Coordinates of all heavy atoms in Angstrom, one line a residue:
M1 N 0.8 -1.2 0.0 CA 0.0 0.0 0.0 C 0.9 1.2 0.0 O 1.9 1.3 0.7 CB -0.9 0.0 1.3 CG -1.8 -1.1 1.4 SD -2.6 -1.2 3.0 CE -3.7 0.2 2.9
L2 N 0.5 2.2 -0.9 CA 1.2 3.4 -0.9 C 0.5 4.6 -0.1 O -0.7 4.7 -0.2 CB 1.4 3.9 -2.4 CG 2.2 2.9 -3.3 CD1 2.2 3.5 -4.7 CD2 3.6 2.8 -2.8
F3 N 1.4 5.3 0.5 CA 0.9 6.5 1.3 C 1.7 7.7 1.0 O 2.9 7.6 0.9 CB 1.0 6.2 2.8 CG 0.0 5.2 3.3 CD1 0.4 3.8 3.3 CD2 -1.3 5.5 3.8 CE1 -0.5 2.8 3.8 CE2 -2.1 4.5 4.2 CZ -1.7 3.2 4.2
H4 N 1.0 8.8 0.8 CA 1.6 10.1 0.7 C 1.6 10.7 2.1 O 0.6 10.7 2.8 CB 0.8 11.0 -0.2 CG 1.2 12.4 -0.3 ND1 1.0 13.4 0.7 CD2 1.8 13.1 -1.3 CE1 1.4 14.5 0.3 NE2 1.9 14.4 -0.9
V5 N 2.8 11.1 2.6 CA 2.9 11.6 4.0 C 3.7 12.9 3.9 O 4.7 13.0 3.3 CB 3.7 10.6 4.9 CG1 3.9 11.2 6.3 CG2 3.1 9.2 4.9
E6 N 3.0 13.9 4.5 CA 3.7 15.2 4.6 C 4.1 15.5 6.0 O 3.2 15.3 6.9 CB 2.8 16.3 4.1 CG 3.5 17.7 4.1 CD 2.7 18.7 3.3 OE1 1.7 18.4 2.6 OE2 3.2 19.9 3.2
M7 N 5.3 15.8 6.3 CA 5.8 16.0 7.6 C 6.4 17.4 7.7 O 7.2 17.8 6.9 CB 7.0 15.0 8.0 CG 6.7 13.6 7.7 SD 8.2 12.6 8.0 CE 7.7 11.1 7.1
T8 N 5.9 18.1 8.7 CA 6.5 19.4 9.0 C 7.1 19.4 10.4 O 6.5 19.0 11.4 CB 5.4 20.5 9.0 OG1 4.8 20.5 7.7 CG2 5.9 21.9 9.3
V9 N 8.4 19.8 10.4 CA 9.2 19.8 11.6 C 9.1 21.1 12.4 O 9.3 22.2 11.8 CB 10.7 19.4 11.3 CG1 11.5 19.3 12.6 CG2 10.8 18.1 10.5
N10 N 8.8 21.1 13.7 CA 8.8 22.3 14.5 C 9.6 22.0 15.7 O 9.1 21.6 16.8 CB 7.3 22.6 14.9 CG 6.4 22.9 13.8 OD1 6.7 23.9 13.1 ND2 5.4 22.1 13.6
L11 N 10.9 22.2 15.6 CA 11.8 22.0 16.8 C 11.6 23.2 17.7 O 11.4 24.4 17.3 CB 13.2 21.9 16.4 CG 13.6 20.7 15.7 CD1 15.1 20.7 15.2 CD2 13.4 19.4 16.5
P12 N 11.5 23.0 19.1 CA 11.4 24.1 20.0 C 12.6 25.0 19.9 O 13.7 24.6 19.7 CB 11.4 23.4 21.4 CG 11.2 21.9 21.1 CD 11.6 21.6 19.7
A13 N 12.2 26.3 19.9 CA 13.3 27.4 19.8 C 14.4 27.2 20.8 O 15.5 27.6 20.6 CB 12.6 28.7 19.8
D14 N 14.0 26.7 22.0 CA 15.0 26.6 23.1 C 15.7 25.3 23.1 O 16.5 25.0 24.0 CB 14.3 26.9 24.4 CG 13.2 25.9 24.8 OD1 12.9 25.0 23.9 OD2 12.7 25.9 25.9
M15 N 15.5 24.4 22.1 CA 16.3 23.2 22.1 C 17.8 23.5 21.8 O 18.1 24.2 20.8 CB 15.7 22.2 21.0 CG 16.5 20.9 20.9 SD 15.9 19.8 19.7 CE 14.5 19.1 20.6
P16 N 18.7 23.0 22.6 CA 20.1 23.2 22.3 C 20.5 22.7 20.9 O 20.0 21.6 20.5 CB 20.8 22.4 23.4 CG 19.8 22.3 24.5 CD 18.5 22.2 23.8
E17 N 21.4 23.4 20.3 CA 21.8 23.1 18.9 C 22.4 21.7 18.8 O 22.1 20.9 17.9 CB 22.8 24.1 18.4 CG 23.1 24.1 16.9 CD 21.8 24.2 16.1 OE1 21.0 25.1 16.4 OE2 21.7 23.4 15.2
A18 N 23.1 21.3 19.8 CA 23.8 20.0 19.8 C 22.7 18.9 19.9 O 22.8 17.8 19.2 CB 24.7 19.8 21.0
R19 N 21.7 19.1 20.7 CA 20.6 18.1 20.8 C 19.8 18.0 19.5 O 19.5 16.9 19.0 CB 19.6 18.5 21.9 CG 18.4 17.6 22.1 CD 18.8 16.2 22.5 NE 17.6 15.3 22.6 CZ 17.6 14.1 22.1 NH1 18.7 13.6 21.6 NH2 16.5 13.4 22.2
A20 N 19.6 19.2 18.8 CA 18.9 19.2 17.5 C 19.7 18.4 16.5 O 19.1 17.6 15.7 CB 18.6 20.6 17.1
A21 N 21.0 18.7 16.5 CA 21.9 18.0 15.5 C 21.9 16.5 15.7 O 21.9 15.7 14.8 CB 23.3 18.5 15.6
E22 N 21.8 16.1 17.0 CA 21.8 14.6 17.4 C 20.5 14.0 16.9 O 20.6 12.9 16.2 CB 21.9 14.5 18.9 CG 22.0 13.1 19.4 CD 22.0 13.1 21.0 OE1 21.4 14.1 21.6 OE2 22.5 12.2 21.5
I23 N 19.4 14.6 17.1 CA 18.1 14.0 16.7 C 18.1 14.0 15.1 O 17.6 13.0 14.6 CB 16.9 14.9 17.2 CG1 16.9 14.9 18.7 CG2 15.6 14.3 16.7 CD1 15.8 15.8 19.3
K24 N 18.5 15.0 14.5 CA 18.5 15.1 13.0 C 19.4 13.9 12.4 O 19.0 13.3 11.4 CB 19.0 16.4 12.5 CG 18.0 17.5 12.7 CD 18.5 18.9 12.2 CE 17.7 20.0 12.7 NZ 18.3 21.3 12.3
A25 N 20.5 13.7 13.0 CA 21.4 12.6 12.6 C 20.8 11.3 12.7 O 20.9 10.4 11.9 CB 22.8 12.7 13.3
T26 N 20.1 11.1 13.9 CA 19.4 9.8 14.1 C 18.2 9.6 13.1 O 18.0 8.5 12.6 CB 18.9 9.8 15.6 OG1 19.9 10.2 16.5 CG2 18.4 8.4 15.9
E27 N 17.5 10.7 12.9 CA 16.4 10.7 11.9 C 17.0 10.3 10.5 O 16.3 9.5 9.8 CB 15.8 12.1 11.9 CG 14.7 12.3 10.8 CD 13.3 12.0 11.4 OE1 13.2 11.7 12.6 OE2 12.3 11.9 10.6
K28 N 18.1 10.9 10.1 CA 18.7 10.6 8.8 C 19.0 9.1 8.7 O 18.7 8.5 7.7 CB 19.9 11.5 8.6 CG 20.6 11.3 7.3 CD 21.8 12.3 7.1 CE 22.4 12.2 5.8 NZ 23.4 13.2 5.6
A29 N 19.6 8.6 9.7 CA 20.0 7.1 9.6 C 18.7 6.3 9.6 O 18.7 5.3 8.8 CB 20.8 6.7 10.9
Y30 N 17.7 6.6 10.4 CA 16.4 5.9 10.4 C 15.8 5.9 9.0 O 15.4 4.9 8.4 CB 15.5 6.6 11.4 CG 14.2 5.9 11.7 CD1 14.0 5.0 12.7 CD2 13.1 6.3 10.9 CE1 12.8 4.4 12.9 CE2 11.8 5.7 11.2 CZ 11.7 4.8 12.2 OH 10.4 4.3 12.5
S31 N 15.7 7.1 8.4 CA 15.1 7.2 7.1 C 15.9 6.6 6.0 O 15.3 6.0 5.0 CB 14.8 8.7 6.7 OG 16.0 9.4 6.3
Q32 N 17.2 6.7 6.1 CA 18.0 6.1 5.0 C 18.0 4.5 5.0 O 18.0 3.9 4.0 CB 19.5 6.6 5.1 CG 19.5 8.1 4.7 CD 20.9 8.6 4.5 OE1 21.9 8.1 5.1 NE2 21.0 9.7 3.7
K33 N 17.8 4.0 6.2 CA 17.7 2.5 6.3 C 16.4 2.1 5.6 O 16.4 1.2 4.8 CB 17.7 2.1 7.8 CG 17.4 0.6 8.0 CD 17.6 0.2 9.4 CE 17.5 -1.3 9.7 NZ 16.2 -1.8 9.4
L34 N 15.3 2.8 5.9 CA 14.0 2.5 5.3 C 14.0 2.8 3.7 O 13.4 2.1 3.0 CB 12.9 3.3 5.9 CG 12.6 2.8 7.4 CD1 11.8 3.9 8.1 CD2 11.8 1.5 7.3
Q35 N 14.8 3.8 3.3 CA 14.9 4.1 1.9 C 15.6 3.0 1.2 O 15.2 2.5 0.1 CB 15.6 5.4 1.7 CG 14.7 6.7 2.0 CD 15.6 7.9 1.9 OE1 15.9 8.4 0.8 NE2 15.9 8.5 3.1
N36 N 16.7 2.5 1.8 CA 17.5 1.5 1.2 C 16.7 0.1 1.2 O 16.9 -0.7 0.3 CB 18.8 1.3 2.0 CG 19.8 2.4 1.7 OD1 19.9 2.8 0.5 ND2 20.6 2.8 2.6
E37 N 15.8 0.0 2.1 CA 14.9 -1.2 2.1 C 13.8 -1.2 1.1 O 13.0 -2.1 0.9 CB 14.4 -1.5 3.5 CG 15.5 -1.9 4.5 CD 15.1 -1.9 6.0 OE1 13.9 -1.5 6.2 OE2 15.9 -2.3 6.8
G38 N 13.5 0.1 0.6 CA 12.4 0.2 -0.4 C 11.1 0.6 0.3 O 10.1 0.8 -0.4
T39 N 11.1 0.7 1.6 CA 9.8 1.1 2.3 C 9.5 2.6 2.1 O 8.4 3.0 2.0 CB 10.0 0.8 3.8 OG1 10.2 -0.6 3.9 CG2 8.7 1.1 4.6
W40 N 10.6 3.4 2.2 CA 10.4 4.9 2.1 C 10.8 5.2 0.7 O 12.0 5.4 0.4 CB 11.3 5.5 3.1 CG 11.0 7.0 3.4 CD1 10.6 7.9 2.5 CD2 11.1 7.6 4.7 NE1 10.5 9.1 3.1 CE2 10.8 9.0 4.5 CE3 11.5 7.2 6.0 CZ2 10.8 9.9 5.5 CZ3 11.5 8.2 7.0 CH2 11.2 9.5 6.8
R41 N 9.9 5.2 -0.3 CA 10.2 5.2 -1.7 C 10.7 6.6 -2.2 O 11.5 6.7 -3.0 CB 8.9 4.9 -2.5 CG 8.7 3.4 -2.6 CD 8.3 3.1 -4.0 NE 7.5 1.9 -4.0 CZ 6.6 1.7 -4.9 NH1 6.3 2.5 -5.9 NH2 5.9 0.5 -4.9
H42 N 10.1 7.6 -1.6 CA 10.5 9.0 -2.0 C 10.6 9.9 -0.8 O 9.8 9.7 0.1 CB 9.4 9.6 -3.0 CG 9.4 9.0 -4.3 ND1 10.1 9.5 -5.4 CD2 8.7 8.0 -4.8 CE1 9.9 8.8 -6.5 NE2 9.0 7.8 -6.1
L43 N 11.5 10.8 -0.9 CA 11.7 11.8 0.2 C 12.1 13.1 -0.5 O 13.2 13.2 -1.1 CB 12.8 11.3 1.2 CG 13.2 12.3 2.3 CD1 12.0 12.8 3.1 CD2 14.3 11.7 3.1
W44 N 11.2 14.0 -0.4 CA 11.4 15.3 -1.1 C 11.3 16.5 -0.1 O 10.4 16.4 0.8 CB 10.3 15.6 -2.1 CG 10.4 14.6 -3.3 CD1 9.7 13.4 -3.4 CD2 11.2 14.7 -4.4 NE1 10.0 12.8 -4.6 CE2 10.9 13.6 -5.2 CE3 12.1 15.7 -4.9 CZ2 11.5 13.4 -6.5 CZ3 12.7 15.5 -6.1 CH2 12.4 14.3 -6.9
R45 N 12.1 17.4 -0.2 CA 12.0 18.6 0.6 C 11.0 19.5 0.0 O 10.9 19.6 -1.3 CB 13.4 19.4 0.7 CG 13.3 20.7 1.4 CD 13.0 20.6 2.8 NE 14.1 20.1 3.7 CZ 13.9 19.3 4.7 NH1 12.7 18.9 5.0 NH2 14.9 18.8 5.4
V46 N 10.1 20.1 0.7 CA 9.1 21.1 0.2 C 9.9 22.4 0.2 O 10.3 22.9 1.3 CB 7.9 21.2 1.1 CG1 6.9 22.3 0.6 CG2 7.2 19.8 1.2
A47 N 10.1 23.0 -1.0 CA 10.9 24.2 -1.1 C 10.4 25.3 -0.2 O 9.2 25.6 -0.2 CB 11.0 24.6 -2.6
G48 N 11.3 25.9 0.5 CA 11.0 27.0 1.3 C 10.4 26.7 2.7 O 10.0 27.7 3.4
S49 N 10.4 25.5 3.1 CA 9.8 25.2 4.4 C 10.6 24.0 5.0 O 11.2 23.2 4.3 CB 8.3 24.9 4.4 OG 8.1 23.7 3.7
Y50 N 10.5 23.8 6.3 CA 11.1 22.7 7.0 C 10.1 21.5 7.0 O 9.6 21.1 8.0 CB 11.5 23.1 8.4 CG 12.5 22.1 9.1 CD1 12.9 20.9 8.4 CD2 12.9 22.3 10.4 CE1 13.7 20.0 9.0 CE2 13.8 21.4 11.0 CZ 14.2 20.2 10.3 OH 15.0 19.4 10.9
S51 N 9.7 21.1 5.8 CA 8.7 20.1 5.5 C 9.2 19.1 4.5 O 10.1 19.5 3.6 CB 7.4 20.6 5.0 OG 6.8 21.5 5.9
N52 N 8.7 17.9 4.5 CA 9.0 17.0 3.4 C 7.7 16.3 3.0 O 6.7 16.3 3.7 CB 10.1 15.9 3.8 CG 9.5 14.9 4.8 OD1 8.7 14.1 4.4 ND2 10.0 14.9 6.1
V53 N 7.8 15.9 1.7 CA 6.7 15.0 1.2 C 7.4 13.7 0.9 O 8.4 13.6 0.2 CB 6.1 15.6 -0.1 CG1 5.4 14.6 -0.9 CG2 5.3 16.8 0.2
S54 N 6.8 12.6 1.4 CA 7.3 11.3 1.3 C 6.3 10.3 0.8 O 5.1 10.5 0.9 CB 7.8 10.8 2.7 OG 8.9 11.6 3.1
I55 N 6.8 9.3 0.1 CA 5.9 8.2 -0.3 C 6.4 6.9 0.4 O 7.6 6.6 0.2 CB 5.9 8.0 -1.9 CG1 5.5 9.2 -2.6 CG2 5.0 6.8 -2.3 CD1 4.1 9.7 -2.5
F56 N 5.5 6.3 1.1 CA 5.8 5.0 1.8 C 5.1 3.9 1.1 O 4.0 4.0 0.7 CB 5.4 5.1 3.2 CG 6.3 6.0 4.1 CD1 6.0 7.3 4.2 CD2 7.3 5.4 4.8 CE1 6.8 8.1 5.0 CE2 8.1 6.2 5.6 CZ 7.9 7.6 5.7
D57 N 5.8 2.8 1.0 CA 5.2 1.5 0.5 C 5.2 0.5 1.6 O 6.3 -0.1 1.9 CB 6.0 1.0 -0.7 CG 5.4 -0.1 -1.4 OD1 4.3 -0.6 -0.9 OD2 6.0 -0.6 -2.4
V58 N 4.1 0.3 2.2 CA 4.0 -0.6 3.4 C 2.9 -1.6 3.3 O 2.0 -1.4 2.5 CB 3.8 0.3 4.7 CG1 5.0 1.1 5.0 CG2 2.6 1.1 4.6
E59 N 2.9 -2.5 4.2 CA 2.0 -3.6 4.2 C 0.5 -3.2 4.6 O -0.4 -3.5 3.9 CB 2.4 -4.7 5.3 CG 1.6 -6.0 5.3 CD 2.0 -6.9 4.2 OE1 3.1 -6.7 3.6 OE2 1.2 -7.8 3.9
D60 N 0.5 -2.3 5.6 CA -0.9 -1.9 6.1 C -0.8 -0.6 6.9 O 0.3 -0.1 7.1 CB -1.5 -3.0 6.9 CG -0.6 -3.6 8.0 OD1 0.2 -2.8 8.5 OD2 -0.7 -4.8 8.3
N61 N -1.9 -0.1 7.4 CA -1.9 1.1 8.1 C -1.1 1.0 9.4 O -0.5 1.9 9.8 CB -3.4 1.4 8.5 CG -4.2 1.8 7.3 OD1 -3.8 1.7 6.2 ND2 -5.4 2.2 7.6
E62 N -1.2 -0.2 10.1 CA -0.5 -0.4 11.3 C 1.0 -0.2 11.1 O 1.7 0.4 11.9 CB -0.8 -1.7 12.0 CG -2.2 -1.8 12.6 CD -3.3 -1.9 11.6 OE1 -3.1 -2.2 10.4 OE2 -4.4 -1.5 12.0
T63 N 1.5 -0.8 10.0 CA 3.0 -0.7 9.7 C 3.4 0.7 9.5 O 4.4 1.2 10.0 CB 3.3 -1.6 8.5 OG1 2.9 -2.9 8.7 CG2 4.8 -1.6 8.2
L64 N 2.5 1.5 8.8 CA 2.9 2.9 8.5 C 2.9 3.6 9.9 O 3.8 4.4 10.1 CB 1.8 3.5 7.6 CG 2.1 5.0 7.3 CD1 3.4 5.1 6.4 CD2 1.0 5.7 6.7
H65 N 1.9 3.4 10.7 CA 1.8 4.0 12.0 C 3.1 3.7 12.8 O 3.7 4.6 13.5 CB 0.6 3.7 12.8 CG 0.5 4.4 14.1 ND1 0.2 5.7 14.2 CD2 0.7 3.9 15.3 CE1 0.2 6.1 15.4 NE2 0.5 5.0 16.2
H66 N 3.5 2.5 12.8 CA 4.7 2.1 13.6 C 5.9 2.8 13.1 O 6.7 3.3 13.9 CB 4.8 0.5 13.4 CG 6.0 0.0 14.2 ND1 6.1 -0.2 15.5 CD2 7.2 -0.4 13.7 CE1 7.2 -0.6 15.9 NE2 8.0 -0.8 14.8
I67 N 6.1 2.9 11.8 CA 7.2 3.6 11.2 C 7.2 5.1 11.6 O 8.2 5.6 12.0 CB 7.3 3.4 9.7 CG1 7.6 1.9 9.3 CG2 8.2 4.4 9.0 CD1 7.5 1.6 7.9
I68 N 6.1 5.7 11.3 CA 6.0 7.1 11.6 C 6.2 7.5 13.0 O 6.9 8.4 13.4 CB 4.6 7.7 11.0 CG1 4.7 7.7 9.5 CG2 4.4 9.1 11.5 CD1 3.4 8.1 8.9
S69 N 5.5 6.7 13.9 CA 5.7 7.0 15.3 C 7.0 6.7 15.9 O 7.4 7.2 17.0 CB 4.6 6.3 16.2 OG 4.6 4.9 16.0
G70 N 7.8 6.0 15.1 CA 9.2 5.7 15.5 C 10.2 6.7 15.0 O 11.4 6.6 15.3
L71 N 9.8 7.7 14.2 CA 10.7 8.7 13.8 C 11.3 9.5 14.9 O 10.5 9.9 15.8 CB 9.9 9.7 12.9 CG 9.5 9.2 11.5 CD1 8.5 10.1 10.9 CD2 10.7 9.1 10.6
P72 N 12.6 9.7 15.0 CA 13.1 10.4 16.1 C 12.6 11.8 16.2 O 12.5 12.4 17.3 CB 14.6 10.4 15.8 CG 14.9 9.2 15.0 CD 13.6 9.0 14.2
L73 N 12.2 12.4 15.1 CA 11.6 13.8 15.1 C 10.1 13.7 15.3 O 9.5 14.8 15.3 CB 11.9 14.5 13.8 CG 13.4 15.0 13.7 CD1 13.6 15.5 12.2 CD2 13.6 16.2 14.7
F74 N 9.5 12.6 15.5 CA 8.0 12.4 15.6 C 7.4 13.4 16.6 O 6.4 14.0 16.4 CB 7.7 11.0 15.9 CG 6.2 10.8 16.1 CD1 5.3 10.8 15.0 CD2 5.6 10.6 17.3 CE1 4.0 10.6 15.1 CE2 4.3 10.3 17.5 CZ 3.4 10.4 16.4
P75 N 8.1 13.5 17.8 CA 7.4 14.4 18.8 C 7.4 15.9 18.4 O 6.7 16.7 19.0 CB 8.4 14.3 20.1 CG 9.1 13.0 19.8 CD 9.3 12.9 18.4
Y76 N 8.2 16.2 17.3 CA 8.3 17.6 16.9 C 7.7 17.8 15.5 O 8.0 18.8 14.9 CB 9.7 18.0 16.9 CG 10.4 17.7 18.2 CD1 11.3 16.6 18.3 CD2 10.2 18.4 19.4 CE1 12.0 16.3 19.4 CE2 10.8 18.1 20.6 CZ 11.7 17.0 20.6 OH 12.3 16.7 21.8
M77 N 6.8 16.9 15.1 CA 6.3 17.0 13.7 C 4.8 17.1 13.7 O 4.1 16.5 14.5 CB 6.6 15.7 13.0 CG 8.1 15.6 12.5 SD 8.3 13.9 11.7 CE 9.8 14.2 10.8
E78 N 4.3 17.8 12.7 CA 2.9 17.8 12.3 C 2.9 16.9 11.1 O 3.7 17.0 10.2 CB 2.5 19.1 11.8 CG 1.8 20.0 12.9 CD 1.5 21.4 12.3 OE1 0.9 21.5 11.3 OE2 1.9 22.3 13.0
I79 N 2.0 15.9 11.1 CA 2.1 14.9 10.0 C 0.7 14.7 9.4 O -0.3 14.7 10.1 CB 2.5 13.5 10.6 CG1 4.0 13.7 11.1 CG2 2.5 12.4 9.6 CD1 4.5 12.5 11.9
R80 N 0.7 14.7 8.1 CA -0.6 14.4 7.4 C -0.4 13.2 6.5 O 0.6 13.2 5.7 CB -1.0 15.6 6.5 CG -2.3 15.4 5.9 CD -2.8 16.7 5.2 NE -2.0 17.0 4.0 CZ -2.4 17.7 3.0 NH1 -3.6 18.2 3.0 NH2 -1.6 17.9 2.0
V81 N -1.3 12.2 6.6 CA -1.2 11.0 5.8 C -2.3 10.9 4.8 O -3.5 11.2 5.2 CB -1.2 9.8 6.7 CG1 -1.2 8.5 5.9 CG2 0.0 9.8 7.7
R82 N -2.0 10.6 3.6 CA -3.1 10.4 2.6 C -2.8 9.0 1.9 O -1.8 8.9 1.2 CB -3.1 11.5 1.6 CG -3.6 12.8 2.3 CD -3.9 13.9 1.3 NE -2.6 14.4 0.8 CZ -2.6 15.4 -0.1 NH1 -3.7 16.0 -0.6 NH2 -1.4 15.9 -0.5
P83 N -3.8 8.1 1.9 CA -3.6 6.8 1.2 C -3.7 7.0 -0.3 O -4.5 7.9 -0.7 CB -4.8 6.0 1.8 CG -5.7 6.9 2.4 CD -5.0 8.2 2.7
L84 N -3.0 6.3 -1.0 CA -2.9 6.4 -2.5 C -3.4 5.1 -3.2 O -3.2 4.0 -2.6 CB -1.5 6.7 -3.0 CG -0.9 8.0 -2.4 CD1 0.6 8.1 -2.9 CD2 -1.6 9.2 -2.8
C85 N -4.0 5.2 -4.3 CA -4.3 4.1 -5.2 C -4.0 4.5 -6.6 O -3.8 5.7 -6.9 CB -5.7 3.5 -5.0 SG -7.0 4.7 -5.3
R86 N -3.9 3.5 -7.5 CA -3.6 3.8 -8.9 C -4.5 4.7 -9.5 O -5.7 4.6 -9.3 CB -3.5 2.4 -9.7 CG -2.3 1.7 -9.6 CD -2.2 0.5 -10.6 NE -2.2 1.0 -11.9 CZ -1.1 1.5 -12.5 NH1 0.1 1.5 -11.9 NH2 -1.1 1.9 -13.8
H87 N -4.0 5.6 -10.4 CA -4.8 6.4 -11.2 C -5.1 5.7 -12.5 O -4.1 5.1 -13.1 CB -4.1 7.8 -11.5 CG -5.0 8.8 -12.1 ND1 -5.5 8.7 -13.4 CD2 -5.5 9.9 -11.6 CE1 -6.3 9.7 -13.6 NE2 -6.3 10.5 -12.5
P88 N -6.3 5.7 -13.0 CA -6.6 4.9 -14.2 C -5.8 5.4 -15.4 O -5.7 4.6 -16.4 CB -8.1 5.0 -14.4 CG -8.5 6.2 -13.5 CD -7.5 6.3 -12.4
S89 N -5.3 6.6 -15.4 CA -4.6 7.1 -16.6 C -3.1 6.9 -16.5 O -2.3 7.3 -17.3 CB -4.9 8.6 -16.8 OG -6.3 8.8 -16.9
S90 N -2.6 6.4 -15.3 CA -1.2 6.2 -15.2 C -0.6 5.3 -16.2 O -1.2 4.2 -16.5 CB -0.9 5.7 -13.8 OG 0.5 5.4 -13.6
V91 N 0.6 5.7 -16.7 CA 1.3 4.8 -17.7 C 2.3 3.9 -17.0 O 3.0 3.2 -17.7 CB 1.9 5.7 -18.8 CG1 0.9 6.4 -19.6 CG2 3.0 6.6 -18.2
R92 N 2.5 4.1 -15.7 CA 3.5 3.3 -15.0 C 2.9 2.0 -14.5 O 2.2 2.0 -13.5 CB 4.1 4.1 -13.9 CG 4.7 5.4 -14.3 CD 5.4 6.1 -13.3 NE 5.8 7.5 -13.7 CZ 6.7 7.8 -14.6 NH1 7.4 6.8 -15.2 NH2 6.9 9.0 -15.0
D93 N 3.2 0.9 -15.1 CA 2.7 -0.4 -14.7 C 3.3 -0.9 -13.4 O 2.7 -1.8 -12.8 CB 2.9 -1.4 -15.8 CG 2.1 -1.1 -17.1 OD1 1.1 -0.5 -16.9 OD2 2.5 -1.5 -18.2
D94 N 4.5 -0.4 -13.1 CA 5.2 -0.9 -12.0 C 5.0 -0.1 -10.7 O 5.7 -0.3 -9.7 CB 6.7 -0.9 -12.3 CG 7.2 0.5 -12.6 OD1 6.4 1.4 -12.8 OD2 8.5 0.7 -12.5
D95 N 4.0 0.7 -10.7 CA 3.8 1.6 -9.5 C 2.5 1.3 -8.9 O 1.5 2.1 -9.0 CB 3.9 3.1 -10.0 CG 4.6 3.9 -8.9 OD1 5.1 3.2 -7.9 OD2 4.7 5.1 -9.0
S96 N 2.3 0.2 -8.2 CA 1.1 -0.1 -7.6 C 1.2 -0.1 -6.1 O 2.3 0.1 -5.5 CB 0.6 -1.5 -8.0 OG 1.6 -2.4 -7.8
Ligands
LIG101 O1 14.1 17.1 7.5 C1 13.0 16.5 7.5 O2 12.2 16.7 6.6 C2 12.7 15.4 8.5 C3 13.3 14.2 8.0 C4 12.6 13.1 7.6 C5 13.5 12.1 7.2 C6 14.8 12.7 7.4 O3 15.9 12.3 7.2 O4 14.6 14.0 7.9

């Protein structure tokens, strides 16, 4: 199942820079593992904001929830999830 997920990061202004850098590094490793495994198919920065648009390919809703709630930045994110299905006009046979 494919999901479009938009994440907006809101780190507290008083978070020490070293702590922010540590969480971002952990987040990067977490996301790169999932990208390499094919679960986190796309990761795009939304130009001009501390947000990303991502496409996840997961077994079910529970798996997506487990992944998202495990993000190191999860406590500092606003997250919007939208389930996707094939568009009848899509020419990409390999994208289900
Ligand atoms: O910077 C972000 O958009 C938050 C984030 C998600 C995965 C990652 O590596 O950073």
Side-chain angles (χ1 to χ4, degrees):
M1 299 170 72
L2 296 177
F3 291 88
H4 174 286
V5 180
E6 184 164 359
M7 309 175 196
T8 299
V9 183
N10 295 300
L11 288 176
D14 61 354
M15 179 180 280
E17 193 54 45
R19 176 65 185 136
E22 181 184 29
I23 300 175
K24 289 177 194 176
T26 312
E27 177 92 6
K28 183 174 183 176
Y30 184 93
S31 77
Q32 289 188 336
K33 179 175 187 292
L34 290 164
Q35 289 174 70
N36 285 324
E37 291 170 356
T39 301
W40 195 323
R41 281 223 205 152
H42 289 266
L43 172 57
W44 295 93
R45 176 64 75 218
V46 178
S49 67
Y50 194 2
S51 299
N52 72 70
V53 163
S54 294
I55 304 292
F56 286 87
D57 186 358
V58 293
E59 187 77 18
D60 51 29
N61 293 7
E62 284 72 23
T63 304
L64 182 71
H65 182 72
H66 179 75
I67 288 170
I68 289 177
S69 58
L71 289 164
L73 284 170
F74 179 73
Y76 311 105
M77 283 175 161
E78 266 174 53
I79 297 172
R80 184 173 68 155
V81 175
R82 291 188 288 181
L84 303 176
C85 57
R86 276 191 67 77
H87 192 288
S89 304
S90 175
V91 296
R92 302 190 192 287
D93 292 334
D94 62 342
D95 218 8
S96 53

